[in-house]
Structures are given as C-alpha cells and as structure tokens.
Coordinates of all heavy atoms in Angstrom, one line a residue:
G178 N 135.3 97.2 83.0 CA 136.2 96.6 82.1 C 136.3 97.3 80.8 O 136.4 98.5 80.7
G179 N 136.3 96.6 79.7 CA 136.5 97.1 78.4 C 135.7 96.3 77.4 O 134.9 95.4 77.8
V180 N 135.8 96.6 76.1 CA 135.1 95.9 75.1 C 136.0 95.2 74.2 O 137.0 95.8 73.8 CB 134.3 97.0 74.3 CG1 133.6 96.3 73.1 CG2 133.2 97.7 75.1
T181 N 135.8 94.0 73.9 CA 136.5 93.2 73.0 C 135.6 92.4 72.1 O 134.6 91.8 72.5 CB 137.4 92.1 73.7 OG1 138.3 92.8 74.6 CG2 138.2 91.2 72.8
Q182 N 135.8 92.6 70.8 CA 135.0 91.8 69.8 C 136.0 90.9 69.1 O 136.9 91.3 68.5 CB 134.3 92.7 68.8 CG 133.6 91.9 67.8 CD 132.8 92.8 66.8 OE1 132.7 94.0 66.9 NE2 132.4 92.1 65.7
F183 N 135.7 89.6 69.2 CA 136.6 88.6 68.7 C 136.1 88.1 67.3 O 136.9 88.0 66.4 CB 136.8 87.4 69.6 CG 137.6 86.3 69.0 CD1 138.9 86.6 68.6 CD2 137.0 85.1 68.7 CE1 139.7 85.6 68.0 CE2 137.8 84.1 68.1 CZ 139.1 84.4 67.7
S184 N 134.8 87.8 67.1 CA 134.4 87.3 65.9 C 133.3 88.0 65.3 O 132.5 88.7 65.9 CB 133.9 85.8 66.1 OG 132.9 85.8 67.0
S185 N 133.2 87.9 64.0 CA 132.2 88.6 63.2 C 131.7 87.7 62.1 O 132.6 87.1 61.3 CB 132.7 89.9 62.6 OG 131.7 90.5 61.9
V186 N 130.5 87.4 62.0 CA 129.9 86.5 60.9 C 129.3 87.3 59.8 O 128.6 88.3 60.1 CB 128.9 85.5 61.6 CG1 128.3 84.6 60.6 CG2 129.5 84.8 62.7
S187 N 129.6 86.9 58.6 CA 129.0 87.6 57.5 C 127.5 87.4 57.4 O 126.9 86.6 58.1 CB 129.6 87.1 56.2 OG 129.3 85.7 56.0
A188 N 126.8 88.3 56.6 CA 125.4 88.2 56.5 C 124.9 86.9 56.1 O 125.5 86.2 55.3 CB 124.9 89.3 55.6
L189 N 123.7 86.5 56.6 CA 123.1 85.2 56.2 C 122.0 85.5 55.3 O 121.4 86.6 55.3 CB 122.5 84.6 57.5 CG 123.5 84.2 58.6 CD1 122.7 83.7 59.8 CD2 124.5 83.2 58.1
T190 N 121.6 84.6 54.4 CA 120.5 84.7 53.6 C 119.3 84.2 54.3 O 119.4 83.4 55.3 CB 120.7 83.9 52.3 OG1 121.0 82.5 52.6 CG2 121.8 84.4 51.5
P191 N 118.1 84.6 54.0 CA 116.9 84.1 54.7 C 116.8 82.6 54.7 O 117.2 81.9 53.8 CB 115.7 84.6 53.8 CG 116.3 85.9 53.2 CD 117.7 85.5 52.9
N192 N 116.4 82.1 55.9 CA 116.2 80.6 56.1 C 117.5 79.9 56.1 O 117.5 78.6 55.9 CB 115.2 80.0 55.2 CG 113.8 80.7 55.3 OD1 113.4 80.9 56.4 ND2 113.2 81.0 54.2
E193 N 118.6 80.5 56.3 CA 119.9 79.8 56.3 C 120.3 79.5 57.7 O 120.1 80.2 58.6 CB 121.0 80.7 55.7 CG 122.4 80.1 55.6 CD 123.4 81.0 55.0 OE1 123.1 82.1 54.7 OE2 124.6 80.5 54.8
F194 N 120.8 78.3 57.9 CA 121.3 77.8 59.2 C 122.8 77.6 59.2 O 123.3 77.0 58.2 CB 120.6 76.4 59.5 CG 121.0 75.8 60.7 CD1 120.5 76.2 61.9 CD2 122.0 74.7 60.7 CE1 121.0 75.6 63.1 CE2 122.4 74.1 61.9 CZ 121.9 74.6 63.1
R195 N 123.5 78.1 60.2 CA 124.9 78.0 60.3 C 125.3 77.5 61.7 O 124.7 77.9 62.7 CB 125.6 79.3 60.0 CG 125.6 79.7 58.6 CD 126.7 80.8 58.4 NE 126.6 81.4 57.1 CZ 127.2 82.4 56.8 NH1 128.1 83.0 57.6 NH2 127.1 82.9 55.6
K196 N 126.3 76.6 61.7 CA 126.9 76.2 63.0 C 128.1 77.1 63.2 O 129.0 77.2 62.3 CB 127.3 74.8 62.9 CG 126.2 73.8 62.9 CD 126.7 72.4 62.9 CE 125.6 71.4 62.9 NZ 126.1 70.0 62.9
F197 N 128.2 77.7 64.4 CA 129.3 78.6 64.7 C 129.8 78.2 66.1 O 129.1 77.9 67.0 CB 128.7 80.1 64.8 CG 129.7 81.1 65.3 CD1 130.6 81.7 64.4 CD2 129.7 81.4 66.6 CE1 131.5 82.6 64.9 CE2 130.6 82.4 67.1 CZ 131.5 82.9 66.2
A198 N 131.1 78.3 66.2 CA 131.8 78.0 67.5 C 133.0 78.9 67.7 O 133.7 79.2 66.7 CB 132.2 76.6 67.6
S199 N 133.2 79.4 68.9 CA 134.3 80.3 69.2 C 135.0 79.9 70.5 O 134.3 79.4 71.4 CB 133.8 81.7 69.3 OG 134.8 82.6 69.6
S200 N 136.3 80.1 70.6 CA 137.0 79.8 71.8 C 138.2 80.8 71.9 O 138.9 81.1 71.0 CB 137.6 78.3 71.6 OG 138.1 77.9 72.9
V201 N 138.3 81.3 73.2 CA 139.3 82.3 73.4 C 140.0 82.1 74.7 O 139.4 81.7 75.7 CB 138.6 83.7 73.5 CG1 139.5 84.8 73.8 CG2 137.8 84.0 72.2
K202 N 141.3 82.3 74.7 CA 142.1 82.4 76.0 C 143.1 83.5 75.7 O 142.8 84.6 75.7 CB 142.7 81.0 76.3 CG 143.3 81.0 77.7 CD 143.7 79.6 78.1 CE 144.2 79.6 79.5 NZ 144.5 78.3 80.0
T203 N 144.4 83.1 75.5 CA 145.4 84.1 75.1 C 145.5 84.2 73.6 O 146.1 85.1 73.0 CB 146.8 83.8 75.7 OG1 147.1 82.5 75.3 CG2 146.7 83.9 77.2
D204 N 144.9 83.1 73.0 CA 144.7 83.1 71.5 C 143.3 82.8 71.3 O 142.6 82.5 72.2 CB 145.7 82.1 70.8 CG 145.2 80.7 71.2 OD1 144.8 80.4 72.3 OD2 145.4 79.8 70.3
G205 N 142.8 82.9 70.1 CA 141.4 82.6 69.8 C 141.2 82.1 68.4 O 142.1 82.1 67.6
A206 N 140.0 81.5 68.3 CA 139.6 80.9 67.0 C 138.1 80.9 66.9 O 137.5 80.8 68.0 CB 140.2 79.6 66.8
Y207 N 137.6 80.9 65.7 CA 136.2 80.6 65.6 C 136.0 79.8 64.3 O 136.8 79.9 63.4 CB 135.3 81.9 65.6 CG 135.4 82.9 64.5 CD1 134.6 82.7 63.4 CD2 136.2 84.0 64.6 CE1 134.6 83.7 62.4 CE2 136.3 84.9 63.6 CZ 135.5 84.8 62.5 OH 135.5 85.7 61.5
A208 N 135.0 79.0 64.2 CA 134.7 78.2 63.1 C 133.2 78.4 62.7 O 132.4 78.5 63.5 CB 135.0 76.7 63.4
I209 N 133.0 78.4 61.4 CA 131.7 78.4 60.8 C 131.6 77.3 59.7 O 132.4 77.4 58.8 CB 131.4 79.8 60.2 CG1 131.5 80.9 61.2 CG2 130.0 79.8 59.5 CD1 131.4 82.3 60.6
G210 N 130.8 76.4 59.9 CA 130.6 75.3 58.9 C 131.9 74.6 58.6 O 132.2 74.1 57.5
G211 N 132.8 74.4 59.6 CA 134.0 73.7 59.5 C 135.2 74.5 59.0 O 136.3 74.0 59.1
S212 N 135.0 75.7 58.6 CA 136.1 76.6 58.2 C 136.5 77.4 59.5 O 135.7 77.9 60.2 CB 135.7 77.6 57.1 OG 135.3 76.9 56.0
I213 N 137.8 77.5 59.7 CA 138.3 78.1 60.9 C 139.1 79.4 60.6 O 139.7 79.6 59.6 CB 139.2 77.2 61.7 CG1 139.5 77.7 63.1 CG2 140.5 76.9 61.0 CD1 139.5 76.6 64.1
V214 N 139.0 80.4 61.5 CA 139.7 81.7 61.5 C 140.4 81.8 62.9 O 139.8 81.5 63.9 CB 138.7 82.9 61.3 CG1 139.5 84.2 61.4 CG2 138.0 82.8 60.0
T215 N 141.7 82.1 62.8 CA 142.4 82.1 64.1 C 143.0 83.5 64.3 O 143.2 84.3 63.4 CB 143.6 81.1 64.1 OG1 144.5 81.4 63.0 CG2 143.1 79.7 64.0
D216 N 143.4 83.8 65.6 CA 144.0 85.0 66.0 C 145.1 84.6 67.0 O 144.7 84.0 68.1 CB 143.0 86.0 66.6 CG 143.6 87.4 66.9 OD1 144.8 87.5 67.0 OD2 142.8 88.3 67.0
A217 N 146.3 84.9 66.8 CA 147.4 84.4 67.6 C 147.4 85.1 69.0 O 147.8 84.5 70.0 CB 148.8 84.6 66.9
T218 N 147.0 86.3 69.1 CA 146.9 87.0 70.4 C 145.6 87.7 70.6 O 145.1 88.4 69.7 CB 148.0 88.0 70.5 OG1 147.9 89.0 69.5 CG2 149.4 87.4 70.4
V219 N 145.0 87.4 71.7 CA 143.7 88.1 72.1 C 143.9 88.8 73.4 O 144.4 88.2 74.4 CB 142.6 87.0 72.2 CG1 141.3 87.6 72.6 CG2 142.4 86.3 70.8
T220 N 143.6 90.0 73.4 CA 143.7 90.8 74.7 C 142.3 90.9 75.3 O 141.4 91.6 74.8 CB 144.3 92.2 74.4 OG1 145.5 92.0 73.8 CG2 144.4 92.9 75.7
M221 N 142.1 90.2 76.4 CA 140.8 90.3 77.1 C 140.8 91.4 78.1 O 141.9 91.7 78.7 CB 140.6 89.0 77.8 CG 140.4 87.8 76.9 SD 139.0 87.9 75.8 CE 137.7 87.6 77.0
P222 N 139.7 92.1 78.3 CA 139.7 93.1 79.3 C 139.9 92.5 80.7 O 139.7 91.3 80.9 CB 138.2 93.6 79.3 CG 137.7 93.2 77.9 CD 138.5 92.0 77.5
A223 N 140.4 93.3 81.6 CA 140.8 92.8 83.0 C 139.6 92.3 83.7 O 139.7 91.4 84.5 CB 141.4 94.0 83.8
S224 N 138.4 92.9 83.5 CA 137.2 92.5 84.2 C 136.1 92.2 83.1 O 135.6 93.2 82.6 CB 136.8 93.5 85.2 OG 135.5 93.2 85.7
V225 N 135.7 91.0 82.9 CA 134.7 90.6 82.0 C 133.4 90.3 82.8 O 133.5 89.4 83.6 CB 135.1 89.5 81.0 CG1 133.9 89.1 80.1 CG2 136.3 89.8 80.2
N226 N 132.3 91.0 82.5 CA 131.1 90.7 83.3 C 129.9 90.5 82.4 O 128.8 90.4 82.9 CB 130.9 91.7 84.4 CG 130.7 93.1 83.8 OD1 130.5 93.3 82.6 ND2 130.8 94.1 84.6
Q227 N 130.1 90.5 81.1 CA 129.0 90.4 80.1 C 129.4 89.8 78.8 O 130.5 90.0 78.3 CB 128.4 91.8 79.9 CG 127.2 91.9 79.0 CD 126.7 93.3 78.8 OE1 126.8 94.1 79.8 NE2 126.2 93.6 77.7
L228 N 128.6 88.9 78.3 CA 128.8 88.3 77.0 C 127.5 88.5 76.2 O 126.4 88.1 76.5 CB 129.0 86.8 77.2 CG 129.1 86.0 75.9 CD1 130.3 86.4 75.0 CD2 129.2 84.5 76.2
N229 N 127.7 89.2 75.0 CA 126.6 89.4 74.1 C 126.6 88.4 73.0 O 127.6 88.2 72.3 CB 126.6 90.8 73.5 CG 126.4 91.9 74.5 OD1 125.7 91.7 75.5 ND2 127.0 93.0 74.3
I230 N 125.5 87.7 72.8 CA 125.3 86.7 71.8 C 124.4 87.3 70.8 O 123.2 87.6 71.1 CB 124.7 85.3 72.3 CG1 125.6 84.8 73.4 CG2 124.6 84.3 71.2 CD1 127.0 84.3 73.0
G231 N 124.8 87.4 69.5 CA 123.9 87.9 68.5 C 123.8 89.4 68.4 O 122.9 90.0 67.9
Q232 N 124.8 90.1 69.0 CA 124.8 91.6 69.0 C 126.3 92.1 68.8 O 127.2 91.6 69.4 CB 124.3 92.1 70.3 CG 124.4 93.7 70.4 CD 123.8 94.2 71.7 OE1 122.9 93.7 72.2 NE2 124.4 95.3 72.1
S233 N 126.4 93.0 67.8 CA 127.8 93.5 67.6 C 128.1 94.6 68.6 O 127.2 95.1 69.3 CB 127.8 94.1 66.1 OG 127.1 95.3 66.0
Y234 N 129.4 95.0 68.6 CA 129.8 96.1 69.5 C 129.1 97.4 69.2 O 128.9 98.3 70.1 CB 131.3 96.3 69.4 CG 131.8 96.8 68.0 CD1 131.9 98.2 67.8 CD2 132.0 96.0 67.0 CE1 132.3 98.7 66.6 CE2 132.4 96.5 65.7 CZ 132.5 97.8 65.6 OH 132.9 98.3 64.3
S235 N 128.6 97.6 68.0 CA 127.9 98.8 67.7 C 126.4 98.7 68.0 O 125.6 99.7 67.7 CB 128.1 99.2 66.2 OG 127.6 98.1 65.4
G236 N 125.9 97.6 68.5 CA 124.5 97.5 68.9 C 123.6 96.8 67.9 O 122.4 96.6 68.1
N237 N 124.1 96.4 66.7 CA 123.3 95.7 65.7 C 123.0 94.3 66.2 O 123.8 93.7 66.9 CB 124.1 95.5 64.4 CG 124.4 96.9 63.7 OD1 123.5 97.8 63.8 ND2 125.5 97.0 63.1
R238 N 121.8 93.8 66.0 CA 121.4 92.5 66.5 C 120.9 91.6 65.4 O 120.5 92.1 64.3 CB 120.2 92.7 67.5 CG 120.6 93.6 68.7 CD 119.4 93.9 69.5 NE 119.8 94.9 70.5 CZ 119.7 94.6 71.8 NH1 119.1 93.5 72.3 NH2 120.1 95.6 72.7
I239 N 121.0 90.3 65.7 CA 120.6 89.4 64.7 C 119.0 89.4 64.5 O 118.3 89.7 65.5 CB 121.0 87.9 65.0 CG1 120.4 87.4 66.3 CG2 122.5 87.8 65.0 CD1 120.6 85.9 66.5
N240 N 118.6 89.1 63.4 CA 117.1 89.0 63.1 C 116.9 87.5 62.9 O 116.8 87.0 61.7 CB 116.7 89.8 61.9 CG 115.2 89.7 61.6 OD1 114.5 89.2 62.5 ND2 114.8 90.1 60.5
G241 N 116.9 86.7 63.9 CA 116.8 85.3 63.8 C 116.8 84.6 65.2 O 116.5 85.3 66.2
W242 N 117.2 83.4 65.2 CA 117.1 82.6 66.5 C 118.4 81.9 66.7 O 119.2 81.5 65.8 CB 116.0 81.5 66.4 CG 114.7 82.1 66.2 CD1 113.8 82.4 67.2 CD2 114.0 82.4 65.0 NE1 112.6 82.9 66.7 CE2 112.8 82.9 65.3 CE3 114.4 82.4 63.6 CZ2 111.9 83.4 64.4 CZ3 113.5 82.8 62.7 CH2 112.3 83.3 63.1
V243 N 118.7 81.7 68.0 CA 119.9 80.8 68.4 C 119.2 79.5 68.8 O 118.4 79.5 69.7 CB 120.6 81.5 69.6 CG1 121.7 80.5 70.1 CG2 121.2 82.8 69.2
K244 N 119.5 78.5 68.0 CA 118.9 77.2 68.3 C 119.5 76.5 69.5 O 118.8 75.8 70.2 CB 119.1 76.3 67.0 CG 118.4 74.9 67.1 CD 118.5 74.2 65.9 CE 117.9 72.8 66.0 NZ 118.0 72.0 64.8
S245 N 120.8 76.6 69.7 CA 121.5 75.9 70.8 C 122.7 76.7 71.2 O 123.3 77.3 70.4 CB 121.9 74.5 70.3 OG 122.7 73.8 71.2
L246 N 123.0 76.7 72.5 CA 124.1 77.4 73.0 C 124.8 76.5 74.0 O 124.1 75.9 74.9 CB 123.7 78.7 73.7 CG 124.8 79.5 74.3 CD1 125.7 80.1 73.2 CD2 124.2 80.6 75.1
R247 N 126.1 76.3 73.9 CA 126.9 75.5 74.8 C 128.1 76.3 75.3 O 128.7 77.0 74.6 CB 127.4 74.2 74.2 CG 126.3 73.3 73.8 CD 126.9 72.0 73.1 NE 125.8 71.3 72.6 CZ 126.0 70.4 71.6 NH1 127.2 70.2 71.1 NH2 125.0 69.8 71.1
Y248 N 128.3 76.2 76.6 CA 129.5 76.9 77.2 C 130.5 75.9 77.8 O 130.1 74.9 78.5 CB 129.0 77.8 78.4 CG 130.1 78.3 79.2 CD1 130.8 79.4 78.7 CD2 130.4 77.8 80.4 CE1 131.9 80.0 79.5 CE2 131.5 78.3 81.2 CZ 132.2 79.4 80.7 OH 133.2 79.9 81.4
Y249 N 131.7 76.0 77.5 CA 132.8 75.2 78.0 C 133.7 76.1 78.8 O 134.2 77.1 78.2 CB 133.6 74.5 76.9 CG 132.7 73.6 76.0 CD1 132.1 74.1 74.9 CD2 132.6 72.3 76.3 CE1 131.3 73.3 74.0 CE2 131.8 71.5 75.5 CZ 131.2 72.0 74.3 OH 130.4 71.2 73.5
P250 N 134.1 75.8 80.0 CA 134.9 76.7 80.8 C 136.4 76.7 80.5 O 137.2 77.3 81.1 CB 134.7 76.2 82.2 CG 134.3 74.7 82.1 CD 133.6 74.6 80.8
T251 N 136.8 75.9 79.4 CA 138.2 75.9 79.0 C 138.3 76.2 77.5 O 137.3 76.1 76.8 CB 138.8 74.5 79.2 OG1 138.1 73.5 78.5 CG2 138.8 74.2 80.7
R252 N 139.5 76.5 77.0 CA 139.7 76.8 75.6 C 139.6 75.5 74.8 O 140.4 74.5 75.0 CB 141.1 77.4 75.4 CG 141.7 77.5 74.0 CD 141.0 78.5 73.2 NE 141.8 78.9 72.0 CZ 141.7 78.3 70.8 NH1 140.9 77.2 70.7 NH2 142.4 78.7 69.8
I253 N 138.7 75.4 73.9 CA 138.5 74.2 73.0 C 139.5 74.3 71.9 O 139.8 75.4 71.4 CB 137.1 74.2 72.4 CG1 136.1 74.0 73.6 CG2 136.9 73.1 71.4 CD1 134.6 74.1 73.1
S254 N 140.1 73.2 71.5 CA 141.1 73.2 70.4 C 140.5 73.6 69.1 O 139.3 73.5 68.9 CB 141.7 71.8 70.3 OG 140.8 70.9 69.8
N255 N 141.3 74.1 68.2 CA 140.9 74.5 66.8 C 140.2 73.3 66.1 O 139.2 73.5 65.4 CB 142.0 75.1 66.0 CG 142.5 76.4 66.6 OD1 141.9 76.9 67.6 ND2 143.6 76.9 66.1
S256 N 140.8 72.1 66.2 CA 140.3 70.9 65.5 C 138.9 70.6 66.1 O 138.0 70.2 65.3 CB 141.2 69.8 65.6 OG 141.5 69.4 66.9
E257 N 138.7 70.8 67.4 CA 137.4 70.5 67.9 C 136.3 71.5 67.5 O 135.2 71.2 67.2 CB 137.4 70.5 69.5 CG 136.1 70.2 70.2 CD 135.6 68.8 70.0 OE1 136.3 68.0 69.4 OE2 134.5 68.6 70.5
L258 N 136.7 72.8 67.3 CA 135.8 73.8 66.8 C 135.4 73.4 65.4 O 134.2 73.6 65.0 CB 136.5 75.2 66.8 CG 136.8 75.9 68.1 CD1 137.6 77.1 67.9 CD2 135.6 76.2 68.9
Q259 N 136.3 73.0 64.6 CA 136.0 72.6 63.2 C 135.1 71.4 63.2 O 134.1 71.3 62.5 CB 137.3 72.3 62.4 CG 138.1 73.5 62.1 CD 139.3 73.1 61.3 OE1 140.2 72.5 61.9 NE2 139.4 73.6 60.1
R260 N 135.3 70.4 64.1 CA 134.5 69.2 64.2 C 133.1 69.5 64.6 O 132.1 69.0 63.9 CB 135.1 68.2 65.2 CG 134.4 66.8 65.2 CD 134.8 66.0 66.3 NE 134.3 66.5 67.6 CZ 133.0 66.4 68.0 NH1 132.1 65.9 67.3 NH2 132.6 66.9 69.2
I261 N 132.9 70.3 65.6 CA 131.5 70.6 66.0 C 130.7 71.5 65.1 O 129.5 71.6 65.2 CB 131.5 71.1 67.5 CG1 132.1 72.5 67.6 CG2 132.0 70.1 68.4 CD1 132.1 73.1 69.0
T262 N 131.4 72.2 64.2 CA 130.6 73.0 63.2 C 130.5 72.4 61.8 O 129.9 73.0 60.9 CB 131.3 74.4 63.1 OG1 132.6 74.3 62.6 CG2 131.3 75.1 64.4
S263 N 131.1 71.2 61.6 CA 131.0 70.6 60.3 C 129.6 69.9 60.2 O 129.0 69.5 61.1 CB 132.1 69.6 60.1 OG 133.3 70.3 60.1

C-alpha cells in the first residue's frame, strides 16, 4: 500500500488529558476537545493493512498512555465526533 497521515495533534503539556476522535472515508474529520478540523477529500491507499496509534509517519511516538480506544466500521458524522470529544 502506501502511507496516509490524516491527523496531527499539537504537543501536550505534562499530565494533560485530551479526548480525540477521527473519522475517514472519502472525506475526513477529527475533533479534539469538541473542536473539529475537516478535510473535504481524503485519498486512502489501495491496500490498508496497518493503523498506527500514537506514532507519526516519521516514527515519533507519544510519551503517554491511551486510556480508551473505540473502533467504528463506518464514517462517524462530524457532529458525533464533536459530541464524543466534548
């Protein structure tokens, strides 16, 4: 396949907790703390076989924990992304 990076979260301060949600199909959006960022067109690689959580395309990794992770097999609406991160 190929590499696609859709979202990037700014640096966190120590002991900071953030709610983050992302949804992608032919368009995409992500929300952090109820604020939303959208992208009208998202090009997904033909063959996706890996999803990295907490790692950038350049290999940088988070220095922290993922408290909860949920997967939905369909594109969640932008309003739902905002609701679950508020």
